[in-house]
Amino acid sequence: MDFLASGQEFSGAFQVFLTRRIDYIVVLSVAAGLLHLWAAWPRKASIPILSHHKGWTAPWKDAIRYLKDSPGVLKEGYEKYSKHGQFFQLSTPTRWFIVAPPKFIDEIREAPEEYLSPRVAANDVVQTKYTVSRIVEANKFHLATIKTALTPNLGLKIEDIRDEIDLAFTDEVGVSEEWKSVAMSPKAHRIVTRAANRLLVGAPLCRNEEYLQMSIRYTVSVFGGADKLRGYPDFFKLPATYLVTNVRRDQIIARKHLLPYIQSRLAEEKRYLQAGRLEDWKRDKPHDSLQWVIDAAPNEKERHPERLVYRILHINVAAVHTTSVTYLNCMFDLATHPEIHDELRQEVEDVVQEKGWSKQGLNDMKKIDSFMTESQRLSPIASSQMTRGVTRDFTFSNGTMVPKGSFVLVPMYSMYTDNDIFPNAEKFDAFRFSRMREQEGHENRHQFVTTSTTHINFGHGKHACPGRFFASNEIKLLLAHTLLNYDVKLAGTAPKPTWFDRSRRPDVKAEVFFRKRSPGL
């Protein structure tokens, strides 16, 4: 089927519907609310319920509390149940969750996917079928290229990424020799997105203003839209996508830029093959995400330009979202703690002097890595992790049974603020993890990219985020560039993040002062 034609047909048929947008939003919202009210009671399970209310309205009241303060709710349950090895249930605006104690992280990691499914959970978080495409929900072969192609090629692409970072900082922050106040959130997103897209789609497209804005907006549209769509029954989600999200608008812009880019690449490949120059194409073809996805396509159908558009967009979301937010939080922490600047800067200078701007050099920036890990510990993007959709009744080793249709998660942020796991857990200690790596036998542990039962930002085990290595290298390059080329300090009061559902939202108005330093390495 021609996806562009089918999309146009649907859009045309939908025009009349859209003219009464507000009325339909109200109807859908009321209907969704009634259905969720009907389904708001927990599945039958011998698991305590964390609640402060009684009666039939209790789940709704508890859900609103969770919506506004998920870390506080999870921390309460963590202290009451999790630290004693007990599971508990809590109500959220869209469903009940079963919260697993951290001691069961390895059991979640090792559970068969036909019982505890990370795919079901990921599709629920992103609402992939509606915010990206049903073809991406059905088969995510393109994500494997992050592990098989992107990560192995990072060393070869460092200079390209550095070049884009330098250009992006000049455009977005400038080179003022006087203190200059910068609204950090929008600038961080623009710089990170440009640097990431230098590797994903290359120059000059990564600098195209319309494409850049789309890349940033689409990431917000996907996650923000998913939060809205999750509240609707499945049969309402497709029309609701057109009513309460902007993903279709952003996909139209993406298609405008990506289709010619993809078609040109496929045509170039065809010219080589028709001339009998297969070996020359293998040597000459570009090393970027588009080519890696084309090469990984399991059949000709998946090489269709329309289908490739969705896959590049999905990789863009994966590459930009976590990296942008993590770098932004790192910049707030860097500006808040000027006492660590000299030590971090000295490490960068020493490593670059010895190893150059190389993959090994980035790996040797252990204090920068520790700083990033500590920033992520106290400013995670979410209050929970290791979410799994239960596709068959599953029993843990202590006899706790979680029923089919439920979701299980681990209270990550509660762990990270537990003094029994991290001494002085509430204190920001930039070199906490680099000191831990000085212990014998721990040299390769406690890194930003390593996962463990006490470090689950990227998940744990075989389903851990494959893009974490790219994110780590990009953030290190961004921080190294910042330290070598600028002095920074906080402008005004400390940033004030907010929470919505499980997501931590950085302060979008907080500003950081920048001042150009003498030329760095």
Side-chain angles (χ1 to χ4, degrees):
M1 179 181 291
D2 186 298
F3 285 89
L4 180 58
S6 63
Q8 290 172 338
E9 289 171 6
F10 185 88
S11 297
F14 224 66
Q15 289 302 312
V16 176
F17 187 68
L18 289 176
T19 60
R20 300 187 62 187
R21 180 183 180 119
I22 301 301
D23 291 340
Y24 280 105
I25 290 175
V26 172
V27 172
L28 290 174
S29 299
V30 171
L34 291 173
L35 283 166
H36 274 289
L37 184 62
W38 173 78
W41 300 96
R43 294 289 306 277
K44 188 175 182 180
S46 300
I47 300 174
I49 295 173
L50 182 69
S51 178
H52 285 268
H53 305 94
K54 294 182 180 180
W56 68 275
T57 61
W60 281 106
K61 293 177 181 177
D62 290 327
I64 295 302
R65 179 171 173 245
Y66 174 87
L67 189 70
K68 296 178 178 179
D69 184 24
S70 67
V73 172
L74 287 169
K75 187 68 170 179
E76 179 185 344
Y78 181 83
E79 296 293 336
K80 186 175 181 180
Y81 298 109
S82 302
K83 292 194 72 170
H84 305 288
Q86 292 181 270
F87 289 73
F88 67 94
Q89 298 183 80
L90 58 81
S91 175
T92 76
T94 55
R95 65 170 49 86
W96 286 80
F97 276 101
I98 295 173
V99 182
K103 65 181 291 186
F104 291 99
I105 286 175
D106 276 333
E107 290 191 32
I108 294 174
R109 173 176 65 88
E110 296 168 358
E113 292 180 48
E114 60 265 29
Y115 286 87
L116 301 184
S117 173
R119 182 183 63 83
V120 169
N123 283 335
D124 179 72
V125 169
V126 183
Q127 294 288 303
T128 313
K129 181 178 181 180
Y130 306 102
T131 61
V132 185
S133 168
R134 64 184 182 276
I135 67 170
V136 171
E137 181 193 47
N139 185 342
K140 297 185 177 70
F141 74 84
H142 56 288
L143 292 184
T145 64
I146 296 175
K147 182 177 181 179
T148 61
L150 190 152
T151 299
N153 281 282
L154 282 175
L156 302 175
K157 294 295 183 178
I158 286 176
E159 285 305 317
D160 284 349
I161 298 172
R162 285 190 64 228
D163 176 59
E164 201 60 42
I165 287 173
D166 183 59
L167 292 171
F169 263 89
T170 300
D171 291 343
E172 303 297 336
V173 176
V175 289
S176 173
E177 294 184 358
E178 303 296 328
W179 286 111
K180 176 183 177 181
S181 182
V182 173
M184 201 62 232
S185 179
K187 297 301 185 183
H189 281 82
R190 288 178 62 86
I191 292 169
V192 168
T193 303
R194 274 184 61 169
N197 273 319
R198 176 66 178 265
L199 181 56
L200 299 182
V201 299
L205 184 54
C206 66
R207 298 168 199 154
N208 180 282
E209 185 61 28
E210 186 177 47
Y211 187 81
L212 175 63
Q213 290 186 20
M214 180 282 301
S215 295
I216 297 169
R217 280 200 318 266
Y218 185 62
T219 301
V220 175
S221 295
V222 165
F223 287 96
D227 286 341
K228 296 173 183 176
L229 293 175
R230 210 175 296 118
Y232 291 99
D234 286 346
F235 61 85
F236 275 154
K237 286 181 179 177
L238 181 58
T241 302
Y242 287 82
L243 294 170
V244 300
T245 81
N246 292 313
V247 294
R248 301 299 180 232
R249 174 203 65 186
D250 296 327
Q251 286 179 346
I252 289 171
I253 296 173
R255 188 178 287 108
K256 169 186 171 183
H257 293 279
L258 287 176
L259 273 179
Y261 171 62
I262 294 168
Q263 290 164 344
S264 174
R265 180 69 57 82
L266 292 172
E268 183 180 9
E269 179 189 61
K270 185 177 180 179
R271 285 193 295 272
Y272 270 82
L273 297 183
Q274 287 179 338
R277 300 174 58 198
L278 175 60
E279 294 304 316
D280 289 343
W281 175 248
K282 290 180 179 179
R283 182 196 64 229
D284 298 342
K285 65 184 179 182
H287 291 282
D288 58 19
S289 285
L290 172 59
Q291 192 60 49
W292 297 329
V293 172
I294 291 173
D295 291 344
N299 51 57
E300 281 301 314
K301 181 180 179 181
E302 292 297 348
R303 288 164 59 92
H304 191 286
E306 282 288 344
R307 300 176 81 93
L308 291 173
V309 164
Y310 292 120
R311 300 196 182 282
I312 295 299
L313 273 175
H314 194 223
I315 291 177
N316 181 84
V317 171
V320 168
H321 176 62
T322 300
T323 308
S324 296
V325 175
T326 303
Y327 172 63
L328 173 59
N329 288 327
C330 282
M331 281 305 305
F332 286 149
D333 287 325
L334 192 68
T336 302
H337 297 280
E339 71 278 5
I340 65 175
H341 293 185
D342 288 343
E343 194 166 350
L344 291 175
R345 188 176 290 118
Q346 188 63 54
E347 179 185 64
V348 174
E349 292 174 347
D350 291 345
V351 167
V352 173
Q353 188 72 34
E354 181 180 354
K355 300 287 180 66
W357 292 104
S358 64
K359 191 172 181 180
Q360 184 57 54
L362 294 178
N363 289 340
D364 286 349
M365 293 182 186
K366 297 178 181 178
K367 291 179 180 178
I368 292 278
D369 190 275
S370 177
F371 164 76
M372 290 161 51
T373 309
E374 180 73 347
S375 178
Q376 193 182 50
R377 180 181 73 85
L378 288 175
S379 302
I381 64 172
S383 55
S384 59
Q385 250 296 7
M386 300 290 291
T387 307
R388 298 289 189 269
V390 184
T391 50
R392 294 188 190 177
D393 290 358
F394 181 80
T395 302
F396 285 90
S397 61
N398 71 340
T400 298
M401 190 277 286
V402 292
K404 176 182 177 180
S406 58
F407 282 75
V408 176
L409 57 78
V410 175
M412 177 177 68
Y413 191 49
S414 301
M415 290 168 48
Y416 288 174
T417 53
D418 185 344
N419 287 313
D420 293 335
I421 300 176
F422 297 101
N424 298 314
E426 299 289 345
K427 178 185 177 183
F428 184 90
D429 182 351
F431 306 123
R432 180 191 298 271
F433 294 98
S434 55
R435 290 196 305 272
M436 292 168 69
R437 292 178 67 181
E438 292 171 0
Q439 303 173 47
E440 186 176 354
H442 287 232
E443 295 84 359
N444 295 317
R445 298 173 62 183
H446 316 297
Q447 298 181 58
F448 185 80
V449 297
T450 55
T451 68
S452 69
T453 55
T454 56
H455 185 209
I456 60 172
N457 281 287
F458 297 109
H460 184 37
K462 68 178 181 179
H463 295 295
C465 173
R468 65 191 187 277
F469 300 96
F470 172 65
S472 174
N473 283 354
E474 184 180 2
I475 294 169
K476 284 181 181 178
L477 289 170
L478 289 161
L479 290 172
H481 182 89
T482 303
L483 287 161
L484 294 179
N485 292 279
Y486 297 94
D487 291 317
V488 297
K489 65 181 180 179
L490 203 60
T493 59
K496 296 179 175 61
T498 57
W499 289 86
F500 180 82
D501 203 322
R502 66 189 291 268
S503 301
R504 183 183 186 275
R505 298 182 171 183
D507 189 336
V508 297
K509 296 182 180 180
E511 298 184 347
V512 171
F513 278 124
F514 282 78
R515 182 177 64 187
K516 185 180 180 297
R517 288 174 53 80
S518 298
L521 292 170

